[in-house]
Amino acid sequence: MKWTQKHLLGLEECSAEEITQVLDVAEGFRPVVGRNDGPRDDLRGKAVVNLFFEPSTRTRTSFELAERRLGATVVNFDVATSSVVKDETLRDTARNIEAMGGIDVVVMRHGCSGAPQLLARSINASVVNAGDGQHEHPTQGLLDILTIRQKLGRVAGLKVAIVGDIAHSRVARSNLWGLTKLGAEVWLVGPTTLVPKAFAKLGAKVSHDLDAVLPHMDVVNMLRVQTERLEEQPFPSVREYSRLFGLDRERLELTKPGVLIMHPGPINRGVEMTPEVADGPRSVILEQVTNGVAVRMAVLALVTGAR
Ligand code: CP
């Protein structure tokens, strides 16, 4: 089945065929990402609103670049100076923006899991989830999978470790849905407090021993420790966490020669990985960022029917 969805709310709702289609369309856009040769016509006449209720560097900037490269009219909604600070609800905010007319897509990041689903039920425009609470970050999952497919030539049959704060991670959930649908084996690794055994029910392998898992992996995706989402201390100290679950040169020697080291950003350098690993030859972190623009161009083109 090819793309038929009006929204992109999560990879849980996408079929393997739809995910593959986004990757294929993104691959087609990849050559134009590095060129600044003026806007295309794909989204000419369409308006996209970027509604970010949480901070973002990569996602917000790459969505805006993608929208402008496709020729859309772009509106960046500034939450801090809006009537949201006067307690206007999300639904009222979005419906009022839409009432100004001609809004085709709303790209939203929100701290509450499920906020994009609520928005999709409240407005006529397409909704693209740019990260909701601890639920999903579908375009991050897609750009991670695109990077794996580009670098290793396939996804099916690969072993992918996602390491760190799985419990609070929307990136982990989107990667898990997307990678398992495409036939990869996903290992979730971290302290018992941050990697609930319940994830095994979603098709993942769960481990609390990074050194035992590393030699078997084709890809190691290191997640950020999200101190802002931690309600209680899940490990004795950051130093302890880093000693058991951080990647440094010594631990990298346990991996296969062609392993890919990934991170969605922002990196806590010295916690999830040392600068030498983050900037080293196995790291594809900046290629993930470049692919983010191509993936977001593909998603915008598909939800609007331009592709
Ligand atoms: N990976 C990611 O979502 O980064 P930002 O928070 O900077 O958008």
Side-chain angles (χ1 to χ4, degrees), residues 52 55-60 109 130 137 140 170-171 264-266 296:
F52 277 64
S56 167
T57 296
R58 282 146 288 266
T59 312
R60 182 176 177 142
R109 169 168 290 191
H137 191 348
Q140 181 69 46
R170 54 197 178 206
V171 175
R296 286 159 184 140

Side-chain angles (χ1 to χ4, degrees), residues 31-227:
V32 299
V33 168
R35 290 203 308 261
N36 199 4
D37 49 5
R40 297 163 55 94
D41 286 333
D42 307 67
L43 294 193
R44 183 143 327 274
K46 301 212 182 279
V48 183
V49 177
N50 296 316
L51 198 54
F52 277 64
F53 289 83
E54 277 192 341
S56 167
T57 296
R58 282 146 288 266
T59 312
R60 182 176 177 142
T61 309
S62 61
F63 261 114
E64 186 171 346
L65 274 172
E67 292 151 9
R68 293 193 188 283
R69 293 214 162 125
L70 291 174
T73 300
V74 179
V75 178
N76 288 314
F77 179 82
D78 185 1
V79 172
T81 57
S82 74
S83 290
V84 170
V85 296
K86 298 179 211 162
D87 288 336
E88 187 166 37
T89 65
L90 169 61
R91 188 168 180 271
D92 281 341
T93 300
R95 293 186 75 203
N96 276 272
I97 293 171
E98 193 173 51
M100 293 172 205
I103 305 298
D104 297 286
V105 184
V106 176
V107 175
M108 186 176 74
R109 169 168 290 191
H110 203 285
C112 292
S113 301
Q117 282 77 0
L118 171 69
L119 193 65
R121 288 196 297 272
S122 307
I123 61 175
N124 292 317
S126 291
V127 175
V128 177
N129 181 3
D132 63 321
Q134 301 172 17
H135 174 231
E136 280 225 38
H137 191 348
T139 55
Q140 181 69 46
L142 289 164
L143 72 90
D144 290 343
I145 298 169
L146 179 63
T147 307
I148 293 170
R149 196 178 79 164
Q150 274 173 357
K151 303 299 282 187
L152 300 180
R154 67 194 167 101
V155 177
L158 294 177
K159 291 186 197 301
V160 180
I162 305 175
V163 182
D165 181 1
I166 307 297
H168 300 93
S169 176
R170 54 197 178 206
V171 175
R173 283 169 179 77
S174 288
N175 266 273
L176 177 59
W177 288 119
L179 286 165
T180 52
K181 281 174 197 230
L182 296 194
E185 185 175 293
V186 178
W187 285 74
L188 302 177
V189 187
T192 49
T193 45
L194 294 177
V195 187
K197 288 251 184 283
F199 274 93
K201 292 193 191 122
L202 303 181
K205 312 267 186 200
V206 170
S207 172
H208 309 297
D209 184 349
L210 181 58
D211 290 347
V213 167
L214 275 182
H216 309 287
M217 295 299 118
D218 300 293
V219 180
V220 181
N221 194 349
M222 305 297 290
L223 299 183
R224 186 171 72 89
V225 176
Q226 302 188 59
T227 43

Side-chain angles (χ1 to χ4, degrees), residues 264-307:
I267 306 172
N268 297 309
R269 285 175 180 259
V271 179
E272 295 102 46
M273 59 179 75
T274 57
E276 146 180 69
V277 174
D279 305 325
R282 303 311 324 158
S283 167
V284 292
I285 294 170
L286 291 179
E287 281 156 277
Q288 290 173 256
V289 176
T290 308
N291 279 333
V293 181
V295 156
R296 286 159 184 140
M297 288 174 83
V299 167
L300 290 163
L302 287 166
V303 296
T304 55
R307 283 288 171 108

